[in-house]
Amino acid sequence: VDAVEATSRLAECLRDGPHAFCSSELAASLIHLLSVPRDGKWQNAADPSQRAAAAQHACAAIARIASQPEGRACVRRGALPKLLGLLTQQAPAALQAQAATALAACLNSALARIQLRTADLDGLIRLAAAPGGDEGADAITARAKAHLALATALPDAILRSKLLEHKMVANVITILQLPDSDDAPPDFTDLMANAASLVAAVANFEDGRMALQRLDAVPLLVQCLKEPTHTSAQLLSNVALAIENLARSPQIAHSLGPAAALPLLQLLAAEPPEALGPVAARFESADWEAVRQAACSAIVALLPTPALEPLLSDGTAGLKMLASLVCEADTLPPLRAKAADALGLVACSQEGRDAAMEVVQPAIVALAEWLRPARRLEAEAASQTEAANEADQPEECRVEAALHALAALAAHEEVRRLLRSPLGSSAASGDGEGVVSDSGGADEGSGDGGGNNNGAVDNAPPPLTGVVKLLGSPSAPLRRAALAAIAAACHGRDAASAEVCVSLGAVQHLVALKAEGEHSAAASMALQAVCTALPSARLWLNSHLPVGVPLGEEFLAVPKDVPLVGAAALRSMQPEGEAAAIFHVSGADAALESLKARALLVGAASAADTVRGLAVLVSDRMGGSVPYEEYESFDGAAQAASLCKAAASRVLPLGSLTRGGARARAVLFKALADSCGLGCGLSLGRCVNGAHAHHAWASVVVDSRVAIVDLLHNPGELLPDGSDAARRYQRVWEHAFSSLAASRATPFEVRLPVAA
């Protein structure tokens, strides 16, 4: 009696602070109470209930101690044999249920699972079998707890193999096949749910999935969704989880589509609980949301398989269901996130993207709307105000899901148009191109409701604004998702989207993230996507445009000492002193178009002759040839500075120049070569100050060899790349000094006194 009272009080104390009772002495005392009586009977003649009650409270105390890592170390060695003995002996059912709970807690330790490899598991497996017809509630509860203990033991490969050989899976499947009965005890519902949970745990491993497939368990799981027996929210969630885990095997996933799992999962994810009939009366709101989320997770797992085809058939009902989950105002964020993930997987194929654009346009707009609150993340992180963070910061899961879904959908041109256009504008509806200011539209003080107001474009900046803001988020998953979204927004060399990203300051964020080890690869991919779509960004970032990459219709040669921002911000820059001009190559430049027409008249029998003719044309336009020794004093930037001052802008049309240095000549040669169809590369020097500031050169491929084109000293001469003559023209290595007049001056004579 004293032991019962002591262990009962101890179990209550352990509810609040199990870490305070993690001692070897206490563990040994509790384990001693689990010993089988000498007579082999748990019933005492004087007081039949006390001996089993003391052991039951001891099991409860051991379970709570084992919930702590240090506690598991105290009870692991001595408790496992005792607990398995309780499951094997003819102990009371309530005691066996508590022993199974304690065993599950102990098996959270990898060392405990290793210790269990050599133990006799027959009693545990028998306890997990289907119940008899006359079993009471305690016996059924014991079987349900045994399922939890077995699920905890499965991560150990050797132990899992042993359990699978002992027909554990067959016993559990038998439980799921039991017929419905009106007089079944309430605990039977928990038994069914735990059996489904054990099946889901088995399906988490490849050998477990093979065992389930051999036993033909896949149709049974589908049947549980179609005609649920003893239906509960937990049972449906666990069955959906089992299907999700089974879908990891391509062969099984292929069979799940024809088995009609996907339509049933759609029903669970989309329909109200009344669709399940009278069993829905037992569902709570939170339970139903858990079922819907589990169903969406299973759909996400099935989508990379041939199950995609039935989702796109029947009038795209499946896509409409996903769209409704994304758009519903009362959908919980985790469920919205799963639905967005599913939409993203649908969009991984061209067929899925086309179907999505036809039926889920509101969902795509809703996904874009999710990103609008992310514009405040940077300000919230800077303010460090906890209350503001709790009130305004969007849920990470739904924003991350929106980013991934839009990244997949962005392979479609209309989605990219939506991303770069202000929400609510005609461009967002596909009627035109959106124009985004370099400050991010109306990002400051825009409010929350501009996306749905007609004509309120200033209050609804493009979704890319939120994506760029998330690059500075303190959350690593959000940063990774934002990087993927930016890379996808520039898909297919979408220059318009790349220009918007640059205008919003994305390049500076990407360069900083690339320097960090955590996001280096993703940031490099995003930078590559922006640079591939926008040659101006590529030249600024890499100081080089490869042969075969044209300048495009609108090109800005931005010097390295100027931050890369949008075209509007560059045009608003005021000239300062002798700062290098930003050369603008545009089809609207009449003088440049005239030069291109003259370049087309350069007739030549070979590519080398064409290069020489274009080089002479460029040199004559930019002030003629300059001797190598005199180039240091050649004032090639004076005219550009004067024109910039007159225009009150650092952006200068390239065709307006009639005198220029190496950079102006190299950019002009590149523009003329592009118009003639001649492959040409463009490179910038590393110096932005000093005698070699803003040096540049053009390169061509002649007779399968790369050569530097002399546009300054001997126009038209081809200097083999890597040769001493090429390095001399490029002013690199030793020629960075020998090209200067000071290095060619006569050194001072040193006169030493002559000895007498």
Side-chain angles (χ1 to χ4, degrees):
V1 176
D2 292 340
V4 172
E5 185 177 357
T7 52
S8 176
R9 291 184 179 181
L10 179 60
E12 291 298 327
C13 293
L14 288 171
R15 292 181 184 273
D16 301 326
H19 59 278
F21 296 90
C22 296
S23 66
S24 300
E25 293 79 7
L26 177 60
S29 301
L30 292 172
I31 293 171
H32 177 71
L33 293 174
L34 305 183
S35 301
V36 179
R38 294 179 181 178
D39 56 4
K41 299 179 180 179
W42 283 99
Q43 302 297 334
N44 190 308
D47 195 344
S49 62
Q50 297 306 321
R51 180 176 291 178
Q56 184 175 341
H57 290 309
C59 288
I62 289 174
R64 294 188 180 115
I65 291 177
S67 65
Q68 300 293 320
E70 60 271 23
R72 286 195 290 271
C74 294
V75 301
R76 174 174 52 83
R77 293 186 179 276
L80 288 181
K82 301 287 187 181
L83 294 173
L84 285 175
L86 292 177
L87 300 179
T88 305
Q89 300 294 330
Q90 297 297 324
L95 175 56
Q96 288 188 330
Q98 201 64 60
T101 303
L103 180 63
C106 292
L107 289 179
N108 285 317
S109 168
L111 294 176
R113 293 194 291 268
I114 293 175
Q115 184 180 349
L116 202 64
R117 292 175 180 176
T118 58
D120 183 8
L121 302 177
D122 291 340
L124 179 60
I125 295 177
R126 282 198 302 269
L127 188 61
D134 56 347
E135 288 191 2
D138 289 341
I140 294 177
T141 301
R143 295 185 183 278
K145 299 300 183 182
H147 293 159
L148 296 181
L150 289 171
T152 312
L154 289 175
D156 187 272
I158 298 177
L159 192 56
R160 182 173 65 253
S161 176
K162 185 177 179 180
L163 291 172
L164 293 178
E165 290 175 359
H166 282 69
K167 300 182 180 180
M168 176 195 68
V169 179
N171 292 342
V172 177
I173 292 178
T174 303
I175 295 178
L176 294 179
Q177 292 175 327
L178 292 177
D180 196 355
S181 177
D182 295 335
D183 56 352
D187 303 271
F188 198 82
T189 301
D190 295 335
L191 176 63
M192 296 283 289
N194 285 6
S197 176
L198 181 55
V199 171
V202 171
N204 200 32
F205 305 96
E206 182 62 30
D207 52 354
R209 290 191 287 270
M210 294 176 60
L212 290 171
Q213 187 177 19
R214 286 194 300 268
L215 294 171
D216 203 20
V218 177
L220 174 62
L221 294 174
V222 176
Q223 190 69 19
C224 290
L225 295 178
K226 189 174 182 180
E227 297 178 1
T229 59
H230 308 289
T231 303
S232 68
Q234 188 178 3
L235 172 62
L236 293 176
S237 298
N238 291 338
V239 170
L241 177 59
I243 292 177
E244 177 185 356
N245 292 339
L246 284 170
R248 298 180 184 178
S249 174
Q251 184 178 0
I252 299 177
H254 188 275
S255 65
L256 281 171
L262 200 61
L264 296 173
L265 291 170
Q266 294 178 32
L267 177 67
L268 291 177
E271 295 294 332
E274 289 76 10
L276 292 178
V279 296
R282 299 200 300 267
F283 281 26
E284 299 291 340
S285 177
D287 295 336
W288 179 244
E289 289 298 333
V291 171
R292 299 180 74 187
Q293 185 175 338
C296 272
S297 298
I299 292 173
V300 170
L302 288 172
L303 283 180
T305 70
L308 175 62
E309 183 176 351
L311 184 66
L312 299 179
S313 62
D314 299 331
T316 61
L319 287 178
K320 292 179 180 178
M321 177 272 297
L322 296 176
S324 65
L325 290 178
V326 172
C327 298
E328 285 178 7
D330 56 347
T331 304
L332 293 181
L335 181 56
R336 275 191 173 189
K338 290 297 181 183
D341 284 340
L343 275 180
L345 288 173
V346 169
C348 288
S349 67
Q350 184 63 44
E351 180 187 6
R353 286 191 293 272
D354 293 340
M357 292 307 300
E358 293 178 3
V359 301
V360 298
Q361 183 72 21
I364 296 174
V365 175
L367 289 173
E369 284 280 1
W370 284 4
L371 301 180
R372 293 186 57 211
R375 295 178 286 114
R376 295 190 295 269
L377 271 179
E378 188 174 292
E380 292 169 3
S383 65
Q384 298 295 324
T385 304
E386 183 176 357
N389 286 341
E390 292 179 357
D392 298 328
Q393 187 169 351
E395 299 90 338
E396 282 191 19
C397 60
R398 69 186 181 99
V399 176
E400 183 182 359
L403 288 169
H404 286 304
L406 286 174
L409 289 164
H412 201 288
E413 182 181 358
E414 292 300 321
V415 178
R416 296 197 300 275
R417 184 194 302 273
L418 174 69
L419 284 173
R420 66 175 178 260
S421 303
L423 290 176
S425 66
S426 59
S429 302
D431 298 332
E433 291 292 336
V435 179
V436 181
S437 69
D438 295 288
S439 60
D443 190 29
E444 300 297 331
S446 62
D448 295 332
N452 298 325
N453 297 335
N454 296 330
V457 177
D458 291 338
N459 290 331
L464 275 177
T465 304
V467 177
V468 174
K469 290 292 184 182
L470 284 173
L471 292 176
S473 167
S475 170
L478 286 183
R479 291 196 299 270
R480 285 193 295 269
L483 289 170
I486 288 179
C490 302
H491 176 83
R493 298 184 178 182
D494 194 320
S497 297
E499 172 64 26
V500 172
C501 290
V502 171
S503 301
L504 295 170
V507 174
Q508 285 74 16
H509 285 291
L510 295 176
V511 171
L513 290 173
K514 183 181 178 181
E516 300 178 3
E518 185 179 5
H519 303 294
S520 178
S524 297
M525 291 183 61
L527 272 174
Q528 182 180 0
V530 173
C531 293
T532 301
L534 204 62
S536 299
R538 188 170 188 171
L539 180 63
W540 180 89
L541 182 67
N542 302 328
S543 300
H544 177 67
L545 277 181
V547 175
V549 177
L551 298 182
E553 297 181 359
E554 296 289 331
F555 179 83
L556 291 170
V558 184
K560 294 289 290 185
D561 59 344
V562 176
L564 184 63
V565 292
L570 291 174
R571 292 189 183 94
S572 64
M573 289 184 178
Q574 297 295 320
E576 299 177 359
E578 298 182 357
I582 301 172
F583 300 133
H584 184 202
V585 178
S586 172
D589 189 341
L592 180 60
E593 291 299 310
S594 176
L595 286 173
K596 290 181 179 180
R598 292 176 57 187
L600 293 175
L601 299 177
V602 176
S606 64
D609 293 336
T610 302
V611 171
R612 294 187 185 98
L614 293 179
V616 172
L617 177 61
V618 170
S619 177
D620 293 343
R621 175 70 178 184
M622 292 296 175
S625 61
V626 184
Y628 189 86
E629 293 78 8
E630 299 178 9
Y631 180 69
E632 183 180 354
S633 58
F634 177 75
D635 191 2
Q639 185 189 30
S642 176
L643 292 174
C644 287
K645 185 177 181 180
S649 173
R650 288 188 67 173
V651 177
L652 183 67
L654 184 60
S656 63
L657 280 178
T658 57
R659 185 178 179 85
R663 189 168 69 95
R665 298 184 185 210
V667 176
L668 179 59
F669 183 86
K670 169 66 174 171
L672 298 182
D674 287 347
S675 66
C676 295
L678 178 67
C680 175
L682 178 61
S683 301
L684 303 179
R686 298 176 59 183
C687 298
V688 294
N689 294 301
H692 304 317
H694 307 295
H695 194 62
W697 55 90
S699 58
V700 294
V701 178
V702 177
D703 297 332
S704 302
R705 295 182 179 180
V706 180
I708 306 300
V709 185
D710 189 338
L711 302 172
L712 290 170
H713 316 305
N714 186 18
E717 182 180 3
L718 298 179
L719 311 173
D721 188 28
S723 64
D724 185 72
R727 293 196 299 270
R728 185 170 181 265
Y729 181 84
Q730 295 166 330
R731 274 76 172 170
V732 295
W733 293 18
E734 70 276 13
H735 300 289
F737 303 99
S738 62
S739 62
L740 301 178
S743 65
R744 298 190 298 270
T746 302
F748 293 104
E749 294 183 3
V750 179
R751 296 181 179 276
L752 298 176
V754 180

